[in-house]
Amino acid sequence: MLKSNKRWKVAQLEQAKVNQLIEELSLSSIVAKLLVLRGIDTVQAAKRFLYKEEVDFYDPFLLHGMKEAVDRIRVALSTKEKILIYGDYDADGVSSTSVMIYLMRELGANFNYYIPNRFTEGYGPNEAAFRQAKAEGYDLIITVDTGISAVHEAEVAKEIGIDLIITDHHEAPPKLPDAYAIVNPKKPGCTYPFKGLAGVGVAFKVAHALLEDVPTHLLDIVAIGTIADLVPLVDENRLLAKRGIDALHRTTKPGLKAIKKIAGIDGQVLNAEHVGFTIGPRINAAGRLESADPAVELMITDDEVAGKEMAEEIDLLNKQRKAIVDEIAKEAILQVETEYPSSDNRVLIVGGEGWNPGVIGIVASRLVEKFYRPTIVLSIDKEKGVAKGSARSIEGFDMFVNLSESRDILPHFGGHPMAAGLTMQIEHIEELRSRLNAQAEQLLTEEDFIPITKVDLVATLDEISLDVINQLDELAPYGISNPIPKVLIEDVSIAQVRRIGSDENHLKVLFEQDGTTLDGIGFQLGYLHPEINPAAKISAVGTVSVNEWNGHCKPQLFIEDVRVKEWQLFDWRNAKKLLENIQDLPKQKRKLIAFQRSTVDKLGLETIKDEICLAPAEEVHLVDKYIVLLDLPNSINQLEELLSVIEGTPERIYSVFYQEDSHYFSTLPKREHFKWYYAFLKKKGIFNIKKYGQQLATHKGWSKNTVDFMTKVFFELDFVTIENGIISLHPTPSKKGLDESETYQRMTEQSKLEQQFLYSSYYELKLWFDQVIEQARKVKESV
């Protein structure tokens, strides 16, 4: 048995809908199943998703408030009013700002842009910035990726005579700002067909409306903000991302070309992962550590030298960001392990003075990944007595709802089930920790603390072909609401399994099922190699891809997790490094059992002798243990009794079965040997075994031990007498069978032990254990 690292939740689907897509669109079963799981369960919806018919962008004027916004901007353009683009400091905000800058340039506007500082101003519009804009002569402010909650700031704008146009995509609060116009697909009453646009998507729609054509030259920037902001990559976002990735691949914008090069993806065929994991973090780094302005300048510059310089500056900031995250994460993990251990805390709250508030959300995610507990990481300012926090959660614990129960000590917080931000007084931290742990005690079970992998579908090996993988590529770009498909292969055979890599830290597996094979590679899973028996049936979860090598292409599985459902037998009867092998097993799981006291010394196990249980003198607890049988039992029955105490099926048995001297081949003679030896003694009358025993053994090709053994058996059965090494036949021998001799019985039992446990094949040994375990199970059920 090998337990998976995570719980596998296999999605359920309607097979009738799958069959319809297979029949009418000639799709593979895997692609059809995935579409249905994504909610794309009609032929028409599948055609649109796969672009099997022409798909275009929605009319931007379907957005409520768009006409008013466009009309007002056109007035500002015609009268040369000063326009201020007010953005945000994350990748979506930077992209949104950049889109509006390109638009304003194209329209010949009198404009500038402004992004508040995360550390001195915080998120969103603020009164001081608005009043400064008025002082500098601005007549119109257009927000991008922010503003939907700026009720007070909208009042200030009215008071000072600035028209405010809000373009945003965040959830609308109960009370909306009194702005000149609000363009937000989530605004109550807005009938726009798609609600999931990012801030940059909304800015793109404004550009579309003002230019009266789709601004395809901005799609490279739109892709960055859309993918980095983790909005659902479905519907119009999918179109923006797919066309945007293509545009980013071909971009001529100097800054984007430079950032691709410095990120090491220039010249590659780009996908959503390149954007989300290489470009996005670099754009975000500027606003996390300092000002977001360099990121905007990177996107909007038309100068090659400036673009290169900005890319280098941003890349340096990203490296600094990584170092800061690593340091804070190290301190936070130590704080958990020494002060708030996960064994005692269902919700983790850690904090540090001077921790950068721009990166604590990343640290919170790392702690969730490591400890799988709802987590809040706080940046503490002791001078002000305030802590700013980022929260991340796990499935089953709605962070926003649970924080809502502590509104009395959380003057500012917001978020959703899996993430939140908050500000609180330092003096209330312990109270919040106590409350959240009490709430988690009521809501979460022990199983909830095992991470979850959501499996899209179960596949047989013959379903995973190059053609199917090429079809899967049509579902890209992958992201939120359209994740990279997770595939489960169940109970397949292992043709090969080995460690690879310079440090042997990766796992290479060749799966086999009904004549079909599939390569599997598990990065950083090399540690599992000694825990997988090649004879076992294995299940694996991962993502499929094409492996290209020396001009050959074949499917492969990127393994993320594995499981062996049946108990496993590991044959260590000829193990060379026994002590090392044992020490590789988790100490809390291994149970070492010896039947002979001398085994510890003979096997060189002195350093772990305190772990070794002597059977059956000691009480042995074997539930959920890896049982290591160090030597041979005294009888088969002794081992059967030991196994009978296990509740259920053991996870693993490691058979060492050490035996100093084997008796099976060298000592136990056959009945014909006894018959010949008796006839020989009868013919001789008397025989001096001390003087002629070795000579007899050599003559017959036996060992001296064999002659001594048969002699002892005859003596126990009263067939002979022995005096001073002289053997004489008993004049009236009793009629007894060989098995009435204790020596013969003992040696026969020993021979059976060795035959069963030392000289049997792996499969014979596994079959014996299976039968004994099954018999014990039936006995317990009958009781």
Side-chain angles (χ1 to χ4, degrees):
M1 183 179 294
L2 173 62
K3 293 181 179 178
S4 56
N5 290 323
K6 298 183 179 181
R7 286 180 287 154
W8 299 351
K9 291 183 71 172
V10 180
Q12 304 299 311
L13 49 78
E14 295 182 50
Q15 191 61 42
K17 292 181 177 180
V18 174
N19 294 339
Q20 184 183 23
L21 295 185
I22 292 173
E23 292 168 10
E24 299 200 28
L25 296 177
S26 299
L27 299 175
S28 69
S29 62
I30 284 182
V31 173
K33 288 175 182 177
L34 284 169
L35 288 171
V36 171
L37 288 174
R38 303 287 192 263
I40 306 158
D41 53 9
T42 67
V43 172
Q44 191 62 32
K47 281 183 177 179
R48 178 177 174 82
F49 189 85
L50 297 172
Y51 305 131
K52 291 186 179 293
E53 56 184 36
E54 190 60 33
V55 178
D56 210 345
F57 295 101
Y58 297 124
D59 182 349
F61 288 99
L62 294 175
L63 280 160
H64 190 274
M66 182 65 81
K67 183 180 183 306
E68 292 80 1
V70 167
D71 289 346
R72 178 64 184 88
I73 293 170
R74 282 183 174 149
V75 169
L77 292 171
S78 65
T79 60
K80 294 297 181 181
E81 293 178 81
K82 288 186 73 174
I83 301 171
L84 183 66
I85 310 302
Y86 194 106
D88 186 30
Y89 39 67
D90 68 0
D92 188 19
V94 167
S95 301
S96 304
T97 303
S98 300
V99 163
M100 292 300 288
I101 291 171
Y102 275 103
L103 174 64
M104 292 294 118
R105 283 177 178 174
E106 199 166 340
L107 295 172
N110 179 17
F111 79 99
N112 205 339
Y113 74 92
Y114 182 84
I115 295 179
N117 185 283
R118 177 194 290 265
F119 304 100
T120 59
E121 296 173 86
Y123 172 76
N126 65 79
E127 180 177 341
F130 277 22
R131 292 192 181 278
Q132 182 62 33
K134 181 62 177 178
E136 293 176 8
Y138 288 96
D139 303 296
L140 175 63
I141 293 178
I142 305 172
T143 72
V144 287
D145 190 35
T146 187
I148 194 63
S149 299
V151 175
H152 171 69
E153 288 75 16
E155 292 173 354
V156 171
K158 271 202 163 186
E159 174 198 325
I160 62 179
I162 288 182
D163 286 340
L164 176 63
I165 294 175
I166 293 172
T167 75
D168 201 354
H169 73 116
H170 294 97
E171 296 292 342
K175 182 181 180 181
L176 294 176
D178 184 12
Y180 187 93
I182 297 177
V183 182
N184 183 339
K186 294 176 182 171
K187 175 184 173 183
C190 181
T191 57
Y192 193 71
F194 180 56
K195 304 293 185 183
L197 290 171
V200 73
V202 178
F204 179 82
K205 303 307 291 189
V206 173
H208 185 178
L210 280 163
L211 296 174
E212 300 180 358
D213 195 10
V214 177
T216 55
H217 59 295
L218 301 176
L219 282 170
D220 45 7
I221 295 174
V222 174
I224 295 172
T226 298
I227 294 169
D229 209 49
L230 303 180
V231 291
L233 289 191
V234 296
D235 206 294
E236 195 167 29
N237 280 344
R238 174 172 161 76
L239 191 59
L240 288 168
K242 190 172 182 66
R243 294 190 184 177
I245 290 169
D246 291 341
L248 187 58
H249 182 67
R250 302 187 308 271
T251 189
T252 58
K253 295 181 177 66
L256 297 186
K257 286 166 58 181
I259 201 71
K260 285 197 302 176
K261 186 172 183 178
I262 207 164
I265 59 173
D266 188 35
Q268 296 186 31
V269 177
L270 300 184
N271 57 38
E273 288 193 354
H274 290 121
V275 178
F277 294 103
T278 58
I279 297 177
R282 286 173 168 81
I283 301 299
N284 271 320
R288 288 188 187 278
L289 299 189
E290 296 178 2
S291 165
D293 289 1
V296 174
E297 296 299 322
L298 173 91
M299 289 189 173
I300 66 174
T301 186
D302 55 7
D303 182 87
E304 297 284 347
V305 174
K308 183 175 181 293
E309 290 175 352
M310 291 296 175
E312 289 172 349
E313 180 182 346
I314 286 174
D315 189 60
L316 180 60
L317 286 171
N318 190 50
K319 289 174 180 175
Q320 291 173 0
R321 187 270 306 169
K322 286 182 178 179
I324 292 170
V325 169
D326 289 344
E327 184 60 33
I328 296 175
K330 183 179 178 181
E331 293 177 24
I333 290 169
L334 182 63
Q335 200 173 119
V336 171
E337 293 176 341
T338 58
E339 298 179 46
Y340 310 107
S342 57
S343 56
D344 300 332
N345 289 268
R346 293 184 167 237
V347 177
L348 302 177
I349 300 180
V350 295
E353 190 173 2
W355 286 2
N356 189 312
V359 302
I360 55 176
I362 302 173
V363 175
S365 295
R366 284 205 187 173
L367 265 61
V368 171
E369 185 178 339
K370 181 172 179 62
F371 299 107
Y372 204 67
R373 296 282 191 278
T375 299
I376 299 174
V377 178
L378 300 168
S379 173
I380 295 173
D381 186 335
K382 286 189 175 179
E383 286 187 12
K384 296 180 180 178
V386 171
K388 290 183 178 180
S390 278
R392 299 291 183 269
S393 197
I394 64 175
E395 194 164 309
F397 191 82
D398 187 316
M399 185 60 77
F400 181 78
V401 168
N402 281 282
L403 287 175
S404 297
E405 295 187 25
S406 293
R407 290 180 184 271
D408 58 315
I409 58 173
L410 296 175
H412 303 290
F413 79 95
H416 51 82
M418 301 303 287
L422 58 89
T423 302
M424 64 186 302
Q425 296 296 311
I426 296 173
E427 63 195 55
H428 293 145
I429 293 175
E430 286 303 321
E431 177 63 21
L432 182 64
R433 179 180 287 113
S434 176
R435 290 184 187 183
L436 290 178
N437 270 291
Q439 290 161 224
E441 185 72 34
Q442 297 297 316
L443 293 170
L444 300 174
T445 66
E446 287 305 316
E447 187 180 59
D448 289 324
F449 294 113
I450 303 173
I452 293 173
T453 290
K454 293 182 179 179
V455 177
D456 292 288
L457 49 88
V458 180
T460 56
L461 297 194
D462 60 2
E463 289 181 295
I464 304 172
S465 65
L466 290 175
D467 182 56
V468 167
I469 294 172
N470 289 331
Q471 285 190 38
L472 285 174
D473 286 343
E474 295 184 31
L475 274 63
Y478 294 116
I480 303 299
S481 297
N482 183 36
I484 297 175
K486 296 286 179 68
V487 178
L488 166 62
I489 57 173
E490 279 193 304
D491 298 330
V492 298
S493 299
I494 302 171
Q496 296 176 17
V497 58
R498 57 193 174 94
R499 284 172 164 163
I500 61 171
S502 57
D503 297 323
E504 295 193 331
N505 52 347
H506 309 309
L507 187 70
K508 179 76 172 176
V509 184
L510 182 63
F511 301 106
E512 193 277 332
Q513 184 180 47
D514 299 328
T516 301
T517 59
L518 175 69
D519 282 333
I521 179 76
F523 293 109
Q524 306 303 323
L525 296 182
Y527 70 92
L528 291 175
H529 180 264
E531 301 193 52
I532 299 172
N533 191 305
K537 297 284 187 179
I538 192 171
S539 300
V541 169
T543 59
V544 294
S545 67
V546 176
N547 180 25
E548 298 183 35
W549 179 256
N550 286 341
H552 297 286
C553 296
K554 56 182 179 179
Q556 72 175 355
L557 183 76
F558 282 119
I559 305 167
E560 296 181 9
D561 203 0
V562 297
R563 176 177 68 199
V564 177
K565 286 193 286 190
E566 63 183 13
W567 78 274
Q568 294 188 87
L569 173 65
F570 290 83
D571 191 347
W572 283 6
R573 287 177 290 187
N574 294 304
K576 295 289 189 294
K577 300 177 180 178
L578 180 60
L579 181 59
E580 283 185 33
N581 290 347
I582 292 173
Q583 290 175 328
D584 280 343
L585 302 178
K587 187 172 182 179
Q588 69 276 15
K589 296 285 286 186
R590 65 195 188 213
K591 198 68 174 180
L592 314 180
I593 296 174
F595 296 93
Q596 317 301 330
R597 291 188 181 278
S598 59
T599 295
V600 175
D601 295 330
K602 290 177 179 177
L603 289 179
L605 304 179
E606 292 83 1
T607 56
I608 55 172
K609 64 181 180 181
D610 292 341
E611 294 184 44
I612 299 174
C613 299
L614 188 66
E618 302 175 27
E619 185 179 356
V620 182
H621 300 282
L622 302 177
V623 179
D624 296 327
K625 296 293 183 182
Y626 299 168
I627 303 169
V628 183
L629 300 173
L630 294 171
D631 53 16
L632 282 177
N634 296 307
S635 67
I636 293 177
N637 185 58
Q638 186 181 29
L639 183 52
E640 289 175 341
E641 288 179 358
L642 178 72
L643 296 173
S644 71
V645 305
I646 303 174
E647 292 295 330
T649 304
E651 287 191 31
R652 301 178 199 171
I653 294 176
Y654 294 81
S655 60
V656 180
F657 289 142
Y658 170 76
Q659 169 80 346
E660 186 173 17
D661 295 310
S662 173
H663 302 280
Y664 179 60
F665 292 111
S666 62
T667 303
L668 187 64
K670 297 180 180 179
R671 287 184 176 271
E672 303 89 80
H673 298 155
F674 281 99
K675 185 176 180 181
W676 185 91
Y677 185 40
Y678 188 82
F680 169 80
L681 293 175
K682 188 174 183 180
K683 183 178 179 181
K684 287 286 185 181
I686 59 172
F687 178 65
N688 189 333
I689 193 169
K690 286 184 178 180
K691 188 173 183 178
Y692 300 110
Q694 183 59 57
Q695 185 179 338
L696 173 64
T698 303
H699 171 72
K700 292 296 295 180
W702 297 339
S703 68
K704 178 65 164 50
N705 288 340
T706 300
V707 175
D708 291 341
F709 171 73
M710 290 190 291
T711 302
K712 189 173 183 181
V713 170
F714 285 167
F715 180 76
E716 289 180 358
L717 296 176
D718 291 331
F719 290 176
V720 298
T721 60
I722 304 174
E723 187 172 347
N724 295 324
I726 304 298
I727 304 174
S728 304
L729 282 182
H730 201 286
T732 56
S734 59
K735 291 186 177 181
K736 294 180 181 178
L738 294 174
D739 53 7
E740 293 183 61
S741 161
E742 288 186 11
T743 297
Y744 187 85
Q745 290 173 10
R746 225 173 15 252
M747 194 58 67
T748 301
E749 178 67 23
Q750 186 65 26
S751 177
K752 287 180 180 178
L753 275 174
E754 293 179 9
Q755 183 179 14
Q756 181 65 63
F757 299 129
L758 286 185
Y759 303 113
S760 57
S761 69
Y762 170 86
Y763 293 99
E764 290 170 335
L765 189 60
K766 177 72 160 54
L767 178 62
W768 182 88
F769 277 111
D770 281 336
Q771 291 172 341
V772 171
I773 292 166
E774 177 63 16
Q775 182 60 34
R777 183 190 64 79
K778 288 181 178 178
V779 169
K780 286 175 184 174
E781 286 182 355
S782 65
V783 176

